[in-house]
mmCIF file of all heavy atoms in Angstrom:
data_model
loop_
_atom_site.group_PDB
_atom_site.id
_atom_site.type_symbol
_atom_site.label_atom_id
_atom_site.label_comp_id
_atom_site.label_asym_id
_atom_site.label_seq_id
_atom_site.Cartn_x
_atom_site.Cartn_y
_atom_site.Cartn_z
ATOM 1 N N GLN A 1 121.109 136.158 99.685
ATOM 2 C CA GLN A 1 119.776 135.608 99.420
ATOM 3 C C GLN A 1 119.371 135.934 97.992
ATOM 4 O O GLN A 1 119.485 137.061 97.544
ATOM 5 C CB GLN A 1 118.750 136.172 100.387
ATOM 6 C CG GLN A 1 117.381 135.550 100.183
ATOM 7 C CD GLN A 1 116.411 135.945 101.281
ATOM 8 O OE1 GLN A 1 116.808 136.400 102.334
ATOM 9 N NE2 GLN A 1 115.140 135.759 101.019
ATOM 10 N N GLU A 2 118.895 134.928 97.299
ATOM 11 C CA GLU A 2 118.463 135.103 95.924
ATOM 12 C C GLU A 2 117.009 135.565 95.915
ATOM 13 O O GLU A 2 116.227 135.149 96.768
ATOM 14 C CB GLU A 2 118.567 133.776 95.167
ATOM 15 C CG GLU A 2 119.977 133.250 95.063
ATOM 16 C CD GLU A 2 120.020 131.860 94.437
ATOM 17 O OE1 GLU A 2 119.079 131.504 93.696
ATOM 18 O OE2 GLU A 2 120.982 131.139 94.705
ATOM 19 N N PRO A 3 116.638 136.399 94.959
ATOM 20 C CA PRO A 3 115.233 136.809 94.862
ATOM 21 C C PRO A 3 114.346 135.583 94.658
ATOM 22 O O PRO A 3 114.706 134.644 93.961
ATOM 23 C CB PRO A 3 115.203 137.711 93.620
ATOM 24 C CG PRO A 3 116.621 138.116 93.399
ATOM 25 C CD PRO A 3 117.478 137.028 93.968
ATOM 26 N N GLY A 4 113.206 135.585 95.303
ATOM 27 C CA GLY A 4 112.276 134.461 95.192
ATOM 28 C C GLY A 4 112.596 133.321 96.138
ATOM 29 O O GLY A 4 111.946 132.288 96.090
ATOM 30 N N ARG A 5 113.600 133.478 96.978
ATOM 31 C CA ARG A 5 114.005 132.416 97.912
ATOM 32 C C ARG A 5 113.805 132.874 99.354
ATOM 33 O O ARG A 5 114.640 132.630 100.214
ATOM 34 C CB ARG A 5 115.468 132.043 97.670
ATOM 35 C CG ARG A 5 115.781 131.473 96.308
ATOM 36 C CD ARG A 5 115.648 130.001 96.226
ATOM 37 N NE ARG A 5 116.480 129.387 97.254
ATOM 38 C CZ ARG A 5 116.262 128.208 97.767
ATOM 39 N NH1 ARG A 5 115.273 127.487 97.364
ATOM 40 N NH2 ARG A 5 117.041 127.726 98.705
ATOM 41 N N GLU A 6 112.673 133.544 99.614
ATOM 42 C CA GLU A 6 112.414 134.069 100.951
ATOM 43 C C GLU A 6 112.270 132.959 101.983
ATOM 44 O O GLU A 6 112.486 133.181 103.168
ATOM 45 C CB GLU A 6 111.156 134.950 100.941
ATOM 46 C CG GLU A 6 111.340 136.269 100.211
ATOM 47 C CD GLU A 6 111.308 136.125 98.689
ATOM 48 O OE1 GLU A 6 110.762 135.125 98.172
ATOM 49 O OE2 GLU A 6 111.847 137.026 98.014
ATOM 50 N N LEU A 7 111.914 131.775 101.568
ATOM 51 C CA LEU A 7 111.756 130.644 102.485
ATOM 52 C C LEU A 7 112.901 129.644 102.354
ATOM 53 O O LEU A 7 112.743 128.465 102.643
ATOM 54 C CB LEU A 7 110.415 129.937 102.243
ATOM 55 C CG LEU A 7 109.176 130.771 102.569
ATOM 56 C CD1 LEU A 7 107.918 130.028 102.161
ATOM 57 C CD2 LEU A 7 109.143 131.122 104.045
ATOM 58 N N ALA A 8 114.061 130.115 101.932
ATOM 59 C CA ALA A 8 115.191 129.221 101.696
ATOM 60 C C ALA A 8 115.555 128.426 102.942
ATOM 61 O O ALA A 8 115.846 127.236 102.860
ATOM 62 C CB ALA A 8 116.400 130.010 101.197
ATOM 63 N N GLU A 9 115.548 129.071 104.109
ATOM 64 C CA GLU A 9 115.907 128.371 105.345
ATOM 65 C C GLU A 9 114.894 127.266 105.653
ATOM 66 O O GLU A 9 115.275 126.145 106.016
ATOM 67 C CB GLU A 9 116.001 129.361 106.514
ATOM 68 C CG GLU A 9 117.137 130.349 106.369
ATOM 69 C CD GLU A 9 116.817 131.553 105.490
ATOM 70 O OE1 GLU A 9 115.685 131.657 104.966
ATOM 71 O OE2 GLU A 9 117.699 132.386 105.323
ATOM 72 N N ALA A 10 113.612 127.592 105.503
ATOM 73 C CA ALA A 10 112.575 126.572 105.736
ATOM 74 C C ALA A 10 112.703 125.443 104.712
ATOM 75 O O ALA A 10 112.522 124.266 105.047
ATOM 76 C CB ALA A 10 111.184 127.206 105.685
ATOM 77 N N ASP A 11 113.007 125.802 103.474
ATOM 78 C CA ASP A 11 113.201 124.771 102.445
ATOM 79 C C ASP A 11 114.375 123.868 102.803
ATOM 80 O O ASP A 11 114.309 122.646 102.619
ATOM 81 C CB ASP A 11 113.451 125.409 101.075
ATOM 82 C CG ASP A 11 112.221 126.076 100.493
ATOM 83 O OD1 ASP A 11 111.096 125.777 100.956
ATOM 84 O OD2 ASP A 11 112.379 126.908 99.578
ATOM 85 N N TRP A 12 115.453 124.452 103.313
ATOM 86 C CA TRP A 12 116.609 123.634 103.691
ATOM 87 C C TRP A 12 116.227 122.684 104.827
ATOM 88 O O TRP A 12 116.593 121.496 104.798
ATOM 89 C CB TRP A 12 117.803 124.502 104.107
ATOM 90 C CG TRP A 12 118.987 123.642 104.406
ATOM 91 C CD1 TRP A 12 119.916 123.206 103.511
ATOM 92 C CD2 TRP A 12 119.316 123.042 105.662
ATOM 93 N NE1 TRP A 12 120.816 122.373 104.136
ATOM 94 C CE2 TRP A 12 120.464 122.255 105.464
ATOM 95 C CE3 TRP A 12 118.758 123.078 106.923
ATOM 96 C CZ2 TRP A 12 121.069 121.525 106.477
ATOM 97 C CZ3 TRP A 12 119.361 122.353 107.956
ATOM 98 C CH2 TRP A 12 120.498 121.597 107.717
ATOM 99 N N ILE A 13 115.496 123.171 105.812
ATOM 100 C CA ILE A 13 115.077 122.308 106.929
ATOM 101 C C ILE A 13 114.161 121.203 106.424
ATOM 102 O O ILE A 13 114.284 120.042 106.845
ATOM 103 C CB ILE A 13 114.433 123.143 108.054
ATOM 104 C CG1 ILE A 13 115.518 123.997 108.718
ATOM 105 C CG2 ILE A 13 113.732 122.246 109.070
ATOM 106 C CD1 ILE A 13 114.988 125.033 109.687
ATOM 107 N N ASN A 14 113.269 121.505 105.500
ATOM 108 C CA ASN A 14 112.424 120.464 104.909
ATOM 109 C C ASN A 14 113.266 119.431 104.169
ATOM 110 O O ASN A 14 113.004 118.226 104.237
ATOM 111 C CB ASN A 14 111.386 121.076 103.961
ATOM 112 C CG ASN A 14 110.241 121.713 104.705
ATOM 113 O OD1 ASN A 14 109.910 121.317 105.818
ATOM 114 N ND2 ASN A 14 109.630 122.711 104.100
ATOM 115 N N THR A 15 114.290 119.898 103.478
ATOM 116 C CA THR A 15 115.197 118.973 102.788
ATOM 117 C C THR A 15 115.921 118.084 103.794
ATOM 118 O O THR A 15 116.056 116.877 103.578
ATOM 119 C CB THR A 15 116.195 119.755 101.918
ATOM 120 O OG1 THR A 15 115.467 120.531 100.969
ATOM 121 C CG2 THR A 15 117.156 118.821 101.204
ATOM 122 N N LEU A 16 116.376 118.673 104.895
ATOM 123 C CA LEU A 16 117.024 117.882 105.940
ATOM 124 C C LEU A 16 116.097 116.761 106.407
ATOM 125 O O LEU A 16 116.503 115.601 106.500
ATOM 126 C CB LEU A 16 117.415 118.767 107.124
ATOM 127 C CG LEU A 16 117.862 118.028 108.396
ATOM 128 C CD1 LEU A 16 119.136 117.232 108.149
ATOM 129 C CD2 LEU A 16 118.032 119.011 109.541
ATOM 130 N N HIS A 17 114.846 117.092 106.686
ATOM 131 C CA HIS A 17 113.908 116.071 107.159
ATOM 132 C C HIS A 17 113.627 115.019 106.077
ATOM 133 O O HIS A 17 113.456 113.840 106.398
ATOM 134 C CB HIS A 17 112.621 116.720 107.655
ATOM 135 C CG HIS A 17 112.825 117.496 108.917
ATOM 136 N ND1 HIS A 17 113.297 116.926 110.082
ATOM 137 C CD2 HIS A 17 112.662 118.805 109.184
ATOM 138 C CE1 HIS A 17 113.396 117.849 111.022
ATOM 139 N NE2 HIS A 17 113.025 119.007 110.498
ATOM 140 N N ALA A 18 113.613 115.440 104.820
ATOM 141 C CA ALA A 18 113.432 114.475 103.733
ATOM 142 C C ALA A 18 114.626 113.536 103.621
ATOM 143 O O ALA A 18 114.480 112.362 103.284
ATOM 144 C CB ALA A 18 113.199 115.210 102.410
ATOM 145 N N PHE A 19 115.830 114.051 103.913
ATOM 146 C CA PHE A 19 117.051 113.246 103.830
ATOM 147 C C PHE A 19 117.240 112.341 105.041
ATOM 148 O O PHE A 19 117.982 111.360 104.965
ATOM 149 C CB PHE A 19 118.279 114.159 103.719
ATOM 150 C CG PHE A 19 118.634 114.582 102.326
ATOM 151 C CD1 PHE A 19 117.678 115.054 101.445
ATOM 152 C CD2 PHE A 19 119.942 114.541 101.893
ATOM 153 C CE1 PHE A 19 118.008 115.465 100.168
ATOM 154 C CE2 PHE A 19 120.296 114.951 100.620
ATOM 155 C CZ PHE A 19 119.328 115.410 99.757
ATOM 156 N N THR A 20 116.632 112.676 106.165
ATOM 157 C CA THR A 20 116.894 111.969 107.420
ATOM 158 C C THR A 20 116.812 110.452 107.292
ATOM 159 O O THR A 20 117.713 109.760 107.778
ATOM 160 C CB THR A 20 115.977 112.507 108.545
ATOM 161 O OG1 THR A 20 116.276 113.892 108.721
ATOM 162 C CG2 THR A 20 116.210 111.782 109.846
ATOM 163 N N PRO A 21 115.803 109.886 106.637
ATOM 164 C CA PRO A 21 115.786 108.413 106.519
ATOM 165 C C PRO A 21 117.015 107.856 105.800
ATOM 166 O O PRO A 21 117.463 106.752 106.081
ATOM 167 C CB PRO A 21 114.517 108.116 105.721
ATOM 168 C CG PRO A 21 113.652 109.317 105.912
ATOM 169 C CD PRO A 21 114.591 110.482 106.069
ATOM 170 N N ARG A 22 117.597 108.635 104.897
ATOM 171 C CA ARG A 22 118.776 108.196 104.150
ATOM 172 C C ARG A 22 120.044 108.246 104.992
ATOM 173 O O ARG A 22 121.062 107.687 104.609
ATOM 174 C CB ARG A 22 118.968 109.069 102.913
ATOM 175 C CG ARG A 22 117.770 109.112 102.024
ATOM 176 C CD ARG A 22 117.884 108.052 101.001
ATOM 177 N NE ARG A 22 116.780 108.150 100.069
ATOM 178 C CZ ARG A 22 116.207 107.099 99.550
ATOM 179 N NH1 ARG A 22 116.623 105.901 99.870
ATOM 180 N NH2 ARG A 22 115.219 107.228 98.707
ATOM 181 N N LEU A 23 119.987 108.940 106.110
ATOM 182 C CA LEU A 23 121.160 109.088 106.975
ATOM 183 C C LEU A 23 121.227 107.996 108.034
ATOM 184 O O LEU A 23 122.236 107.856 108.710
ATOM 185 C CB LEU A 23 121.141 110.462 107.654
ATOM 186 C CG LEU A 23 121.071 111.658 106.710
ATOM 187 C CD1 LEU A 23 120.943 112.945 107.503
ATOM 188 C CD2 LEU A 23 122.261 111.703 105.768
ATOM 189 N N GLN A 24 120.148 107.245 108.189
ATOM 190 C CA GLN A 24 120.092 106.216 109.220
ATOM 191 C C GLN A 24 120.779 104.941 108.738
ATOM 192 O O GLN A 24 120.594 104.516 107.602
ATOM 193 C CB GLN A 24 118.642 105.910 109.583
ATOM 194 C CG GLN A 24 117.941 107.097 110.184
ATOM 195 C CD GLN A 24 116.459 106.870 110.380
ATOM 196 O OE1 GLN A 24 115.842 106.061 109.703
ATOM 197 N NE2 GLN A 24 115.881 107.593 111.322
ATOM 198 N N LEU A 25 121.545 104.361 109.629
ATOM 199 C CA LEU A 25 122.245 103.107 109.333
ATOM 200 C C LEU A 25 121.888 102.119 110.430
ATOM 201 O O LEU A 25 122.537 102.074 111.476
ATOM 202 C CB LEU A 25 123.753 103.340 109.280
ATOM 203 C CG LEU A 25 124.227 104.306 108.196
ATOM 204 C CD1 LEU A 25 125.652 104.731 108.453
ATOM 205 C CD2 LEU A 25 124.079 103.673 106.830
ATOM 206 N N ALA A 26 120.852 101.345 110.205
ATOM 207 C CA ALA A 26 120.376 100.425 111.231
ATOM 208 C C ALA A 26 121.477 99.470 111.683
ATOM 209 O O ALA A 26 121.589 99.158 112.870
ATOM 210 C CB ALA A 26 119.167 99.642 110.718
ATOM 211 N N ALA A 27 122.315 99.020 110.761
ATOM 212 C CA ALA A 27 123.366 98.063 111.111
ATOM 213 C C ALA A 27 124.371 98.659 112.088
ATOM 214 O O ALA A 27 124.994 97.931 112.862
ATOM 215 C CB ALA A 27 124.077 97.576 109.856
ATOM 216 N N CYS A 28 124.537 99.982 112.068
ATOM 217 C CA CYS A 28 125.528 100.636 112.923
ATOM 218 C C CYS A 28 124.893 101.360 114.112
ATOM 219 O O CYS A 28 125.588 102.053 114.855
ATOM 220 C CB CYS A 28 126.339 101.628 112.097
ATOM 221 S SG CYS A 28 127.224 100.863 110.722
ATOM 222 N N ALA A 29 123.593 101.221 114.293
ATOM 223 C CA ALA A 29 122.877 101.960 115.334
ATOM 224 C C ALA A 29 123.341 101.602 116.745
ATOM 225 O O ALA A 29 123.192 102.396 117.661
ATOM 226 C CB ALA A 29 121.378 101.741 115.198
ATOM 227 N N THR A 30 123.918 100.433 116.927
ATOM 228 C CA THR A 30 124.361 100.021 118.261
ATOM 229 C C THR A 30 125.681 100.673 118.658
ATOM 230 O O THR A 30 126.140 100.505 119.781
ATOM 231 C CB THR A 30 124.530 98.494 118.323
ATOM 232 O OG1 THR A 30 125.550 98.115 117.395
ATOM 233 C CG2 THR A 30 123.234 97.779 118.018
#
């Protein structure tokens, strides 16, 4: 863990949720 990154895990989860729309492929959803 780097100093100043006490919320690194929460930041990663927020990044995951921000990326989620980019991971969706409507054409392949079926």
Side-chain angles (χ1 to χ4, degrees):
Q1 184 171 342
E2 297 174 24
R5 297 271 305 155
E6 290 77 21
L7 294 174
E9 294 83 0
D11 290 342
W12 183 88
I13 291 170
N14 283 332
T15 301
L16 169 64
H17 291 301
F19 273 47
T20 299
R22 304 268 184 217
L23 304 175
Q24 296 172 335
L25 298 166
C28 300
T30 62

